[in-house]
Amino acid sequence: MPGTPPTRFVYLGPEGTFAEQALHRVPAAERGTRTPARSVGEALESVRAGEADAALVPMENSIGGAVGVTLDELAEGEPLVITREVILPVEFVLAARPGTTPEGIRSVAAHPQASTQCRNWLRAHLPDAVVVDVLSNGAAAAGAAAGEYDAAICAPIGASRHRLELLADKIADHPDAVTRFALVSRPGPPPPPTGDDVTSLAVYIAHDRVGALLSVLMELAVRGVNLTRIESRPTGEALGRYVFFLDCSGHVADVRLGEALQGLRRVCADVRFLGSYPRHRWIPATGDRPVPAPAGLSDADYADASAWLARLRSGDLT
């Protein structure tokens, strides 16, 4: 319901995963209900069906790349829009039932991505332990708590939820790894521009047209719109047919991005608007800041040029 703050949230479950941990960073979710879903598709369908107001799902990981199932779900079915992004550090821990010692660990439950990201630590500290694949970080923690495994690689929230003892923290091989989550709702007016926003699109190009992708990029470049991410996914129609997912700096309310969207509408087979929302700046110390528009391409420059053209058309040459 446009303009109404969400109160019913769903997230990619089960409980005790990074998705639940990320949802706690959304203030409205702390005051509402939070329900785990079995899959990204189930989470998004609950929003489409009106059973939830918003869903938090993973978009990409700095190590593993884009989450293809999320992109596919956003490109298909009834439209949904991203209203917020949450960037969460991926800090894996080794947890076990109280009283467990590292010397007594013979089996470690872990999601395959978790064990992959902790491969060097496991090799150095638990070389003789058998790593058992499970469906999620939450399931790893639950299995260790139930005594099915000696220990688990999981998210900190999973260890605390299942009353496990931390044997080691920050065990990932890449300490700066992060996962980007998207809060997705039914279509409505986007959040107001903040001056540091992201606009996400799904763009279908004309495959029988030479230079079709270049035309897409030029619509952005000539207006000084910074393309921060581009990802292709097969459409499922035939080999060689792709949809391109774009993240651009700016907001749909900005003049130059608005003009770029009009240009994309003209040159693309189809464009699906996936939302304009505030950028989540994770590491300010890196100097990551909004990219200023080149000279002549700011919103003020567009407004000045529009006013000038209006004067010309009225016969005013001053």
Side-chain angles (χ1 to χ4, degrees):
M1 189 180 301
T4 302
T7 60
R8 301 171 301 162
F9 294 85
V10 64
Y11 62 92
L12 176 62
E15 296 177 338
T17 60
F18 286 110
E20 183 187 11
Q21 193 168 322
L23 187 57
H24 282 290
R25 302 209 171 183
V26 179
E30 291 294 275
R31 301 185 294 271
T33 60
R34 302 179 296 274
T35 305
R38 291 172 295 182
S39 66
V40 169
E42 181 180 281
L44 297 183
E45 280 306 315
S46 67
V47 176
R48 290 186 173 109
E51 298 166 358
D53 300 318
L56 190 82
V57 292
M59 286 280 286
E60 62 176 320
N61 177 269
S62 59
I63 304 299
V67 180
V69 64
T70 299
L71 298 181
D72 293 342
E73 289 286 346
L74 290 176
E76 301 169 359
E78 293 181 29
L80 295 170
V81 292
I82 301 169
T83 60
R84 183 188 181 111
E85 67 175 2
V86 177
I87 296 177
L88 187 77
V90 181
E91 297 179 348
F92 289 109
V93 301
L94 182 74
R97 293 180 305 285
T100 303
T101 63
E103 294 75 20
I105 295 176
R106 295 291 178 266
S107 61
V108 179
H111 185 276
Q113 285 189 357
S115 58
T116 296
Q117 293 189 39
C118 301
R119 181 187 298 114
N120 292 337
W121 190 93
L122 287 168
R123 184 182 297 120
H125 295 87
L126 296 174
D128 298 325
V130 175
V131 178
V132 182
D133 290 346
V134 293
L135 293 177
S136 69
N137 297 308
E148 299 172 19
Y149 315 102
D150 296 327
I153 294 176
C154 59
I157 191 175
S160 61
R161 179 178 294 279
H162 293 282
R163 296 187 174 89
L164 297 176
E165 184 178 286
L166 293 188
L167 300 182
D169 63 355
K170 298 182 179 180
I171 65 174
D173 299 334
H174 299 275
D176 296 325
V178 297
T179 295
R180 177 187 178 213
F181 294 87
L183 188 68
V184 180
S185 302
R186 291 182 294 281
T194 66
D196 188 14
D197 301 288
V198 178
T199 292
S200 295
L201 309 166
V203 172
Y204 298 80
I205 64 174
H207 297 279
D208 57 350
R209 177 179 166 189
V210 176
L213 180 56
L214 178 61
S215 297
V216 169
L217 302 180
M218 287 300 296
E219 292 294 336
L220 302 173
V222 298
R223 294 174 177 88
V225 175
N226 186 39
L227 180 65
T228 59
R229 185 179 70 91
I230 180 169
E231 185 89 20
S232 65
R233 294 285 299 168
T235 63
E237 299 170 355
L239 284 174
R241 298 295 179 95
Y242 294 90
V243 54
F244 292 86
F245 292 88
L246 312 181
D247 282 347
C248 311
S249 294
H251 193 280
V252 66
D254 298 341
V255 174
R256 59 191 174 114
L257 184 57
E259 293 232 356
L261 291 176
Q262 292 182 67
L264 293 177
R265 174 73 175 179
R266 291 194 305 268
V267 304
C268 295
D270 192 17
V271 179
R272 175 171 282 203
F273 176 73
L274 299 179
S276 288
Y277 47 92
R279 185 190 308 277
H280 184 163
R281 294 286 178 183
W282 169 237
I283 310 178
T286 63
D288 190 15
R289 293 290 183 270
V291 178
L297 293 176
S298 69
D299 279 0
D301 293 326
Y302 270 88
D304 178 71
S306 179
W308 174 75
L309 180 59
R311 292 197 302 272
L312 292 184
R313 288 171 172 171
S314 68
D316 181 3
L317 302 184
T318 58

